[in-house]
Amino acid sequence: MQPWFTDAKLGIFIHWGIYAVDGVQESWSFYDDIVPYDAYMSQFDRFTADRYDPRDWAKLFARAGARYAVLTSRHHDGVALWDSAHGDLNVGRDLIAGYADALREQGLKVGLYYSHSDWSHPDYASTRKPGRPPELEDNRYSEVAVEFEDLAAWDRFLAYRDGQIRELTARYKPDLLWFDGEWDRSEEQWRIPELAALIRSEVPDVVFNARMLSEGDYATPEQGAPVVPPEGPWELCLTINDSWGHQHHDHNHKSVDQLIRYFTETIGGGGNLLLSVGPREDGTIPAEQAERLEGLGAWIARHAEAVYGTGRGLPAGHHYGPSTLSKDRRTLYLILFDAPRAEINVRGLLGSVRRVTVLGSGTELAHRITGGLHETPGVLWIEPPAAPDLDPHATVLAVELDGELELYRGAGRF
């Protein structure tokens, strides 16, 4: 795992493709018989990207506080966003080079999404239902069926995939490759180790998500914040509204308050938030989504010390809310979503506290410890901040410790 990834905290997930024309679900809308395949593909000629300005995207993402972004270079529908020499479906121009260059101008890492699956490729035998090319008598793929499959066709498909991957890695040198669609096949059938070796021959330090199976570097839960954070590096993939790509009817956008909660709970559990935006077919990001990115970024900028360069905070039960911990383990950052009506408490701290301040204003808060017996520590009580020190979204307290954090856990120490 590259250190930049665990330090990044926020990434932007960009679901952009021909599905934005009619505002239908990316790929799944034809797979699930919501839209006929031909109707889905009719969007191809109406996908203009005529207002696409990747520098505007990159500047917005930087203002949001993101340190990387991930663009859907090819979804399960098989439509590539660059002028690929492999396969029959691409937009006929390169929409990725400008994106990669613009991100790097802003100091952001470049991520590309690529689906292992391709539900349009004539050599791809999948779990597709009847009526979608290629037609199969037995449309439910199984491990047993592989013996009877056209292995020459599968080899051709993998050659196509590898050709596209070579183009992506050679042209754009992505820092992260975000794979998807792995569920159709086994690791052996996908030839995952060989694919990883191919990619690393061009980009040795690339980061892979967990959908590269045994080669993956981090977990990717989607949409629901884990109650118990995963061990090791992870990333919560979250939509701003209810859709990954642009859907005209979806105005159910999460508020800035909600996004800050998702974000702080995620980084407090040691993860990154990968927040999805869905540009329109012309390449513009809807104002409602841009406004929320700006709002999240403004909060992060005010509290950057509690975000960047921090790690997983207190386990559940020690503080009623998320927290992060400085890299030297000597400062705890407590996130308060609501205006406290009484003292804030932290349980199980071993060692003493030097001081507590409100991040941003610098106001110092009185604190005291009550209770404690033998090896069991007392409870830290912190004076509630006054109204002028409260952030309109979430207030952060910096708890400076006399030494590195140690926690009492009943039967042992943390």
Side-chain angles (χ1 to χ4, degrees), residues 81 116 232 247 274 288 294 309 334 357 374:
L81 289 188
H116 292 292
Q247 296 192 30
L274 186 63
E288 301 94 331
E294 300 273 13
L334 309 178
T357 56
H374 304 309

Side-chain angles (χ1 to χ4, degrees), residues 379-402:
V379 175
L380 171 66
W381 296 93
I382 302 170
E383 171 191 11
D389 290 315
L390 295 175
D391 185 271
H393 300 292
T395 304
V396 180
L397 307 185
V399 180
E400 298 176 32
L401 309 173
D402 272 327

